[in-house]
């Protein structure tokens, strides 16, 4: 999708890069993350309204530290450097960066010395969040300091003529007071953006682009029943009507009653034709004896292609395949930082079009999950469908750790249903980004009545997040957890121990596999 106004976020490996992009979009301006080594090419071909240089884990003087060419600073658009980005800007213009006498990680009090542009409307003193070992020790020529802290005399700089700005702290994190105001000042006041990036504008532009891309062709949609594919199907149906053909495959790895709900919703509520296929036996046969999570994903992906290809043959003239791929899927599956490792394979990113010779339609490839939800609400999709927690493409196969069998899946389905039912009852569901149960390949001794048991352990996982890129464990009240644990152990024969996962992302991922 081509955007008339956009902000380029250049990624130097910061764990907060996605947050920068999110904050800019919250302001109403489209932003895109580009890796440092390829950003200039796209910016030259389609100039942004402004550039934000992210933080990063390296020192600017470290061998192999990421860098951008001087050309980025000479595009004639405003540039904002954050932490590492500030230091890189200073280095390019003959400033000096040295190891700070005292490293700063956490809160600091910012004192603003000039509030005329970047800090417009922000109180003179506020709390900011620092994460750095290096700091500016000498201003670049023709630059001036506009804010400081006790530990960083040069905490923010600017060159009004070049429209270059830099801050040592992280305005994108919630711990920085008025951080969003700072970014809004940069994007709207300094870059001159108008803020037309809204769900409605996205829908209007997407419908036009889908129609232009598809022409008079038919589109096949793999409908999983999750938020992304649901909203994608409704958007596509608005664009091309009955030339959209949805297929829902029950792979035996769904949550309790999931497939029946999907079929009912699309046929009855949306009036969108849907072909239902029960392929659960095939998937479970292929997964028998497999415990490695990446092998599970590959097996599921291959089986899905096989079944989907067979069922899609009904529409031999179809030339397009729709998927609900999201921006975080792309970021995690395809490294943006050159030689870094792929965290995990997302089965709906890559693979399918090449094997099926269909052109790919991915209307949400540039969106974060919460943006898809807002698009869904604008399209009239019921809140019960768009506010559902994310569900992984491989389904419960990656929540049954170890071998996947129908018995273990049924056990997990029963546990998961109780967990979700109780957090809904307690009013906690909408406060949580994602909640689910994991069946561990661990059995332990228990006692029920006077009898000894030797049964499975289940782990409960619930996290809060904005976009799934980072997450914290949800503080579910103890009495609610107690109720959930008691119900699971009493009602689900085969489970005698319940544990709660309190790890955050990073270092853990949200899913266990």
């Amino acid at each position: 999708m081509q955007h008339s106004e956009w902000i380029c976020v250049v990624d130097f490996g910061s764990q907060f890069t996605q947050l920068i992009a999110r904050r800019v979009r919250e302001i109403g301006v489209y932003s895109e993350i580009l890796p440092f080594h390829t950003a200039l090419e796209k910016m030259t071909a389609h100039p942004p309204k402004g550039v934000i240089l992210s933080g990063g884990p390296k020192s600017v003087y470290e061998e192999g530290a990421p860098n951008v060419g001087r050309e980025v600073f000479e595009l004639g658009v405003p540039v904002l450097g954050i932490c590492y980005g500030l230091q890189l800007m200073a280095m390019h213009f003959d400033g000096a960066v040295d190891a700070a006498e005292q490293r700063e990680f956490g809160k600091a009090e910012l004192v603003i010395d000039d509030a005329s542009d970047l800090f417009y409307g922000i109180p003179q003193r506020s709390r900011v969040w620092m994460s750095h070992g290096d700091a500016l020790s000498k201003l670049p020529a023709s630059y001036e300091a506009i804010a400081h802290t006790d530990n960083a005399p040069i905490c923010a700089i600017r060159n009004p003529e070049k429209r270059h700005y830099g801050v040592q702290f992280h305005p994108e994190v919630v711990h920085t007071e008025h951080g969003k105001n700072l970014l809004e000042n940069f994007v709207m006041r300094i870059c001159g953006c108008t803020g037309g990036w809204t769900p409605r504008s996205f829908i209007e532009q997407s419908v036009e682009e889908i129609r232009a891309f598809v022409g008079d062709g038919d589109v096949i949609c793999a409908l999983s029943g999750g938020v992304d594919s649901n909203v994608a199907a409704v958007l596509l149906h608005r664009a091309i009507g009955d030339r959209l053909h949805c297929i829902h495959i029950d792979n035996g790895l769904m949550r309790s009653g999931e497939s029946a709900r999907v079929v009912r919703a699309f046929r009855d509520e949306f009036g969108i034709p849907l072909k239902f296929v029960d392929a659960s036996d095939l998937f479970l046969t292929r997964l028998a004896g497999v415990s490695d999570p990446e092998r599970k994903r590959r097996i599921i992906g291959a089986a899905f292609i096989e079944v989907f290809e067979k069922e899609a043959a009904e529409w031999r003239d179809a030339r397009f395949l729709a998927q609900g791929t999201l921006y975080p899927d792309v970021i995690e599956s395809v490294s943006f930082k050159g030689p870094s490792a792929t965290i995990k394979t997302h089965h709906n990113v890559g693979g399918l079009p090449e094997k099926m010779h269909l052109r790919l339609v991915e209307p949400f490839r540039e969106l974060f999950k919460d943006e898809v939800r807002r698009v869904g609400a604008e399209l009239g999709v019921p809140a019960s469908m768009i506010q559902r927690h994310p569900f992984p493409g491989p389904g419960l196969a990656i929540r049954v750790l170890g071998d996947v069998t129908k018995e273990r899946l049924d056990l997990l389905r029963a546990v998961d249903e109780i967990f979700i039912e109780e957090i809904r009852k307690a009013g906690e569901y909408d406060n949580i980004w994602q909640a689910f149960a994991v069946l561990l390949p661990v059995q332990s001794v228990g006692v029920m009545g006077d009898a000894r048991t030797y049964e499975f352990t289940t782990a409960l996982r619930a996290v809060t997040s904005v976009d799934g890129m980072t997450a914290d464990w949800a503080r579910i009240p103890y009495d609610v957890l107690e109720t959930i644990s008691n119900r699971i152990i009493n009602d689900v024969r085969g489970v005698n121990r319940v544990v709660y996962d309190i790890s955050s992302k990073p270092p853990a991922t949200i899913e266990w596999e």
Side-chain angles (χ1 to χ4, degrees), residues 109-126 128 145-149 156 169 177-178 182:
E109 185 181 51
L110 179 76
V111 181
I112 297 170
D113 302 310
D114 188 310
S116 60
D117 43 24
L118 188 65
F119 293 111
Y120 179 81
I122 296 175
Q124 186 185 17
R125 293 177 179 269
S126 63
V128 297
I146 55 175
H148 68 274
T149 68
F169 56 92
E177 293 178 323
H178 312 293
L182 183 152

Side-chain angles (χ1 to χ4, degrees), residues 85-97 136 138 140 157:
L86 158 71
Q87 296 162 16
L88 199 62
M89 179 187 293
M91 188 183 74
H92 272 285
F93 292 94
D94 301 320
V97 178
L136 263 66
K138 174 191 167 189
I157 67 172

Side-chain angles (χ1 to χ4, degrees), residues 75-274:
L75 288 169
V77 300
V79 180
L80 171 65
I82 295 175
C83 197
Y84 182 90
L86 158 71
Q87 296 162 16
L88 199 62
M89 179 187 293
M91 188 183 74
H92 272 285
F93 292 94
D94 301 320
V97 178
D98 294 303
E101 288 186 16
Q102 182 181 340
R103 300 187 339 165
E104 278 191 296
F105 295 95
K107 297 173 186 176
E109 185 181 51
L110 179 76
V111 181
I112 297 170
D113 302 310
D114 188 310
S116 60
D117 43 24
L118 188 65
F119 293 111
Y120 179 81
I122 296 175
Q124 186 185 17
R125 293 177 179 269
S126 63
R127 186 186 69 240
V128 297
W129 199 79
M130 297 282 201
S131 179
H132 68 99
D134 293 348
L136 263 66
S137 56
K138 174 191 167 189
L139 274 169
S142 303
Y143 286 68
E144 58 185 335
I146 55 175
H148 68 274
T149 68
D150 287 344
N151 193 48
I154 308 174
C155 193
I157 67 172
R158 74 174 173 197
N159 181 319
E161 184 181 342
K162 293 179 182 291
R163 294 189 296 171
H164 290 176
Y165 297 81
V167 294
Q168 185 60 71
F169 56 92
H170 288 272
E172 69 273 25
V173 302
V174 294
H175 310 296
T176 293
E177 293 178 323
H178 312 293
K180 187 175 177 181
N181 301 89
L182 183 152
L183 291 171
E184 187 169 359
N185 283 338
F186 177 74
V187 170
M188 306 296 275
R189 295 176 63 86
I190 296 169
C191 297
C193 292
T194 57
W197 171 253
T198 65
R200 180 169 295 181
S201 69
F202 173 84
I203 292 167
E204 291 170 356
Q205 188 172 352
S206 294
V207 166
E208 289 180 11
E209 293 192 356
I210 289 167
R211 287 172 178 167
F213 182 66
V214 171
D216 60 358
D218 285 18
V219 178
I220 300 171
C221 179
L223 189 64
S224 69
V227 174
D228 313 323
S229 65
N230 285 349
V231 179
V234 175
L235 176 64
L236 283 157
H237 193 255
R238 174 173 291 196
I240 62 171
D242 290 342
R243 286 185 290 120
L244 172 69
H245 310 291
C246 294
I247 302 174
H248 174 71
I249 298 170
D250 183 356
N251 56 14
L253 308 171
M254 310 289 283
R255 288 170 288 200
S256 182
E258 185 86 15
S259 289
R261 283 193 293 269
V262 172
V263 172
R264 186 167 56 249
F266 275 81
R267 288 179 180 170
D268 299 343
E269 293 183 37
F270 300 134
I272 298 176
L274 173 68

Side-chain angles (χ1 to χ4, degrees), residues 224-429:
S224 69
V227 174
D228 313 323
S229 65
N230 285 349
V231 179
V234 175
L235 176 64
L236 283 157
H237 193 255
R238 174 173 291 196
I240 62 171
D242 290 342
R243 286 185 290 120
L244 172 69
H245 310 291
C246 294
I247 302 174
H248 174 71
I249 298 170
D250 183 356
N251 56 14
L253 308 171
M254 310 289 283
R255 288 170 288 200
S256 182
E258 185 86 15
S259 289
R261 283 193 293 269
V262 172
V263 172
R264 186 167 56 249
F266 275 81
R267 288 179 180 170
D268 299 343
E269 293 183 37
F270 300 134
I272 298 176
L274 173 68
K275 184 174 186 178
F276 172 72
V277 181
D278 184 356
S280 53
D281 288 345
L282 172 69
F283 280 83
L284 293 181
T285 300
R286 298 276 177 87
L287 288 167
V290 177
S291 59
D292 177 74
E294 278 300 299
R295 277 196 65 204
K296 288 179 184 178
R297 290 174 185 273
R298 287 194 294 271
I299 288 168
I300 292 166
F304 179 82
I305 291 168
E306 184 180 321
V307 175
F308 194 85
E309 197 168 18
K310 178 183 175 185
E311 300 300 330
E314 179 179 328
W315 301 285
R316 295 187 182 279
D317 295 333
R319 304 194 305 273
F320 301 90
L321 173 72
Q323 291 187 159
T325 308
L326 300 187
Y327 203 18
D329 296 339
V330 177
I331 292 169
E332 286 197 347
S333 295
V334 182
S335 171
F336 271 56
K337 305 175 185 70
S340 65
T342 295
I343 298 170
K344 59 187 176 183
T345 302
H346 286 267
H347 87 283
N348 62 333
V349 181
L352 212 53
E354 291 85 348
K355 296 201 176 189
M356 295 188 65
H357 308 294
L358 296 173
R359 299 180 71 186
L360 194 58
V361 181
E362 293 175 306
F364 302 147
R365 192 176 178 87
E366 297 177 342
L367 298 191
F368 292 98
K369 175 75 75 172
D370 60 315
E371 292 174 313
V372 173
R373 288 192 166 111
R374 289 202 293 272
V375 168
E378 185 70 30
L379 286 167
V381 180
S384 60
M385 295 186 73
I386 58 177
Q387 294 303 327
R388 297 192 68 193
H389 292 174
F391 189 65
L396 298 182
I398 57 169
R399 294 179 180 173
V400 171
L401 274 57
D403 292 351
V404 180
T405 65
K406 185 178 185 305
E407 292 71 29
R408 291 184 178 185
L409 288 165
D410 288 341
L411 206 63
L412 181 57
R413 270 188 273 266
V415 170
D416 192 74
E417 190 170 24
I418 290 171
F419 185 25
I420 300 303
E421 183 181 311
E422 289 298 332
I423 60 173
R424 283 190 186 279
K425 196 183 297 182
E428 294 291 331
Y429 186 86

